[in-house]
Amino acid sequence: MDTVISEISDDCFECLFKTTCNQSISQDDFSFFFQSTVQQNYKRGEIILKQGMKTNHLIYLLKGIVKFNYEDENGKNLILTISNAPTILGLANILNEDVNIFSIIAIEDCKGCLIDLNKLKLLAMNDRFFMLNILKMSTGLFRNSILNFISLAHKQVNGRVADILLYLSKNIYLSNTFVLSLSRQEFAEFAGCSKENIIHTLRKFDADGIITISGKNIEIIDMERLQKVSKSG
Amino acid sequence: MDTVISEISDDCFECLFKTTCNQSISQDDFSFFFQSTVQQNYKRGEIILKQGMKTNHLIYLLKGIVKFNYEDENGKNLILTISNAPTILGLANILNEDVNIFSIIAIEDCKGCLIDLNKLKLLAMNDRFFMLNILKMSTGLFRNSILNFISLAHKQVNGRVADILLYLSKNIYLSNTFVLSLSRQEFAEFAGCSKENIIHTLRKFDADGIITISGKNIEIIDMERLQKVSKSG
DNA sequence: TTGAAAAAGTGAAAAACTGCATTTTTTGAT
DNA sequence: ATCAAAAAATGCAGTTTTTCACTTTTTCAA
């Protein structure tokens, strides 16, 4: 299921290096860094980082789509955001020594590289530009989460469902036509409402000619109107 | 209204130094840092940092209570969180060169020190421990905002009002009895519902013997039950 | 391939919530 | 102290949302 990479694979040169630190770390540092890297596969539904646990690694997500899931004391779930490869998971834990405040769970089959957090910290402490880049990513993530929440916090379900469809189309599937990786229940946990409400709302959008929906297949056919629904709430 | 401090005042030794960087910066650096510091007063309602604007300073809040306010395209307001002195405002802008994504507005008369952001950056680049401390504060703030949002995002108004009362009591006023700095309208903007709903809910809590309310004076008389309402949503 | 379990869909009643019109109370400036 | 404006409070009609009980469809493993 998982494979230890004793040598640096070609993938690695495309990954952390490219997306975050660019020219800022040396080839030697890079080798040291990736000697302990472990590649791992996750099936849909598998937990990549578990809420309430401490972790000592980041994950560079090479492939797949994940949800950031918060489970409350009553067992109710809330999806904070959806993210897709390539990205780095677990940045929230770089500065805070606390346990994870949410789980990260695969909603499509995923492939990721485990990165030793202590080694990364060591490297960051010796290279302030590298540190700055890593931390920019970390706060950027939080910033996006907050913007995400703002858009959901004071709209009614129509507007929230529209927002989610727009988000998925623009940021995750990069197309007006896509196969939803979320169940209706999960969609509801993202929108913060009941699954019946999601079903009704999606049907209404379909009836109104804004989207075409057939099971998990969704096509946005009237983007302009969808954006209007998003704005009007 | 505002006073330029040409010499380092006693206040300063209690402030940034104490709360964030502890022993990590030298006396010389500290002096350099505070030579340009400007002290400023804000009346209730005054804007300390304005959404959509760029800023080149942080504010060390010495005294007072502020709201983090987001205004959407329809002019509707959402309060992200409430914060009180002593704290540092504007940390969200350290890494991101963007405009402010929300306003920070005084809801009690405030006193603050303006800190030059460029000087701070200069200092941080030369001292990685100082940098780390500043950034820890920054991400800590985001982390708290997210926790705040989580607690609001999947509860009904009863639970949300309970959460806000608990938050204000534990984190802002530090007492079971307090004089609310928020109007009912603002309370509603914090809870993400109508002001009428807030009025009804507070009255109901009063009738149920959970709180006593008279105008802006609130006393939590049954903390246990309030926590139960918070949990049950 | 087939049967059981999970997910999707339906409709209607109950509950929660908003928006409005209106009255009462509080606040703050002169 | 007085007046005008702002804020708080009230009740209700109408809308939105949840909940529940149920049927249909899809998925997946033996």
Side-chain angles (χ1 to χ4, degrees):
Chain A
M1 179 123 168
D2 55 34
T3 320
V4 175
I5 305 173
S6 51
E7 303 200 2
I8 294 165
S9 83
D10 286 343
D11 276 352
C12 292
F13 287 95
E14 291 295 316
C15 109
L16 236 200
F17 210 5
K18 192 169 183 186
T19 52
T20 76
C21 46
N22 286 24
Q23 284 77 25
S24 90
I25 68 173
S26 74
Q27 193 55 48
D28 279 355
D29 281 348
F30 187 64
S31 299
F32 156 79
F33 198 36
F34 279 92
Q35 248 150 36
S36 60
T37 296
V38 173
Q39 204 167 4
Q40 184 109 35
N41 293 311
Y42 305 92
K43 290 220 182 77
R44 169 168 170 64
E46 264 192 83
I47 297 171
I48 298 173
L49 284 180
K50 192 167 168 57
Q51 178 176 334
M53 307 283 270
K54 286 205 173 198
T55 44
N56 51 9
H57 59 268
L58 296 176
I59 292 108
Y60 175 72
L61 193 70
L62 286 162
K63 185 186 145 266
I65 303 177
V66 299
K67 63 176 176 182
F68 289 54
N69 189 80
Y70 177 83
E71 182 179 345
D72 76 3
E73 60 256 43
N74 305 319
K76 264 179 83 175
N77 293 303
L78 180 72
I79 295 180
L80 304 177
T81 192
I82 307 278
S83 206
N84 62 346
T87 190
I88 296 184
L89 306 175
L91 281 167
N93 298 310
I94 284 195
L95 292 173
N96 292 282
E97 311 286 329
D98 271 349
V99 298
N100 299 316
I101 54 177
F102 46 76
S103 293
I104 298 181
I105 302 174
I107 59 170
E108 294 280 326
D109 292 354
C110 288
K111 189 187 286 184
C113 270
L114 272 55
I115 297 166
D116 188 295
L117 202 48
N118 289 320
K119 279 196 182 178
L120 182 126
K121 278 183 183 171
L122 216 67
L123 218 57
M125 279 310 259
N126 287 322
D127 184 335
R128 58 203 183 195
F129 290 102
F130 180 69
M131 185 196 256
L132 218 54
N133 280 328
I134 290 285
L135 291 169
K136 264 187 193 169
M137 286 201 66
S138 169
T139 55
L141 179 130
F142 277 114
R143 209 179 164 93
N144 282 340
S145 292
I146 284 183
L147 285 173
N148 229 322
F149 260 125
I150 285 171
S151 90
L152 297 184
H154 53 165
K155 289 181 186 177
Q156 311 210 128
V157 171
N158 275 347
R160 284 184 262 161
V161 170
D163 276 344
I164 289 175
L165 290 174
L166 289 169
Y167 175 77
L168 293 176
S169 161
K170 284 184 189 166
N171 299 288
I172 304 298
Y173 302 111
L174 313 176
S175 164
N176 286 357
T177 310
F178 50 87
V179 179
L180 201 61
S181 321
L182 300 165
S183 69
R184 300 293 191 267
Q185 179 60 46
E186 285 175 315
F187 202 125
E189 286 163 1
F190 199 4
C193 67
S194 69
K195 75 170 199 302
E196 289 88 344
N197 205 341
I198 290 296
I199 292 164
H200 292 150
T201 305
L202 288 176
R203 295 244 139 262
K204 197 174 59 195
F205 284 3
D206 187 322
D208 292 352
I210 298 173
I211 64 173
T212 304
I213 183 164
S214 152
K216 303 246 170 180
N217 300 289
I218 294 185
E219 180 177 4
I220 299 173
I221 53 180
D222 192 341
M223 186 60 83
E224 221 169 284
R225 206 126 69 84
L226 190 59
Q227 271 156 347
K228 217 156 78 183
V229 174
S230 158
K231 281 201 179 168
S232 67
Chain B
M1 178 122 167
D2 53 34
T3 318
V4 175
I5 305 172
S6 51
E7 304 202 1
I8 293 166
S9 82
D10 286 344
D11 276 351
C12 290
F13 287 96
E14 290 294 316
C15 107
L16 238 202
F17 210 4
K18 193 171 183 185
T19 52
T20 77
C21 47
N22 287 23
Q23 285 77 27
S24 90
I25 69 173
S26 75
Q27 194 55 47
D28 278 355
D29 281 347
F30 188 65
S31 298
F32 157 80
F33 197 38
F34 279 92
Q35 248 149 35
S36 60
T37 296
V38 172
Q39 202 166 7
Q40 184 109 36
N41 293 311
Y42 304 93
K43 290 221 181 75
R44 167 166 173 65
E46 263 191 85
I47 296 173
I48 298 174
L49 285 180
K50 192 166 169 58
Q51 178 177 334
M53 306 285 268
K54 284 203 176 202
T55 44
N56 51 10
H57 59 268
L58 295 177
I59 293 108
Y60 174 72
L61 191 72
L62 286 161
K63 185 186 145 266
I65 303 178
V66 300
K67 63 175 175 181
F68 289 53
N69 189 82
Y70 177 83
E71 183 178 345
D72 75 5
E73 60 257 43
N74 306 317
K76 265 178 82 175
N77 293 303
L78 179 72
I79 294 180
L80 303 176
T81 192
I82 306 277
S83 206
N84 61 348
T87 189
I88 296 184
L89 306 174
L91 281 168
N93 299 311
I94 285 195
L95 293 174
N96 292 282
E97 311 286 328
D98 272 349
V99 299
N100 298 317
I101 54 175
F102 46 76
S103 294
I104 298 180
I105 302 173
I107 58 169
E108 294 281 327
D109 291 355
C110 288
K111 188 187 289 186
C113 269
L114 272 54
I115 297 166
D116 188 295
L117 202 47
N118 289 322
K119 279 196 182 178
L120 182 127
K121 277 182 182 171
L122 217 66
L123 218 58
M125 280 310 262
N126 287 321
D127 184 336
R128 58 203 184 197
F129 290 101
F130 180 67
M131 185 196 256
L132 216 54
N133 280 327
I134 291 285
L135 292 169
K136 265 188 192 169
M137 286 201 67
S138 170
T139 55
L141 178 130
F142 277 113
R143 210 179 162 92
N144 282 339
S145 292
I146 285 184
L147 286 173
N148 229 322
F149 260 125
I150 285 172
S151 90
L152 297 185
H154 54 165
K155 289 181 186 177
Q156 311 211 127
V157 172
N158 274 347
R160 286 184 261 161
V161 170
D163 276 343
I164 289 175
L165 290 173
L166 290 169
Y167 175 76
L168 293 176
S169 160
K170 284 184 189 167
N171 298 288
I172 303 297
Y173 302 111
L174 314 175
S175 163
N176 286 358
T177 310
F178 51 87
V179 180
L180 202 60
S181 321
L182 300 165
S183 69
R184 300 293 193 266
Q185 179 61 45
E186 286 175 314
F187 203 125
E189 287 163 359
F190 199 4
C193 66
S194 70
K195 71 176 197 301
E196 290 89 344
N197 205 340
I198 291 296
I199 292 164
H200 290 150
T201 306
L202 289 176
R203 295 245 140 261
K204 197 173 58 193
F205 284 2
D206 187 321
D208 291 352
I210 298 173
I211 64 173
T212 304
I213 183 163
S214 152
K216 303 246 170 182
N217 300 289
I218 294 184
E219 180 177 6
I220 298 173
I221 52 181
D222 192 340
M223 186 60 82
E224 221 168 285
R225 207 127 69 86
L226 190 59
Q227 270 155 348
K228 219 156 76 184
V229 174
S230 158
K231 283 202 178 166
S232 69

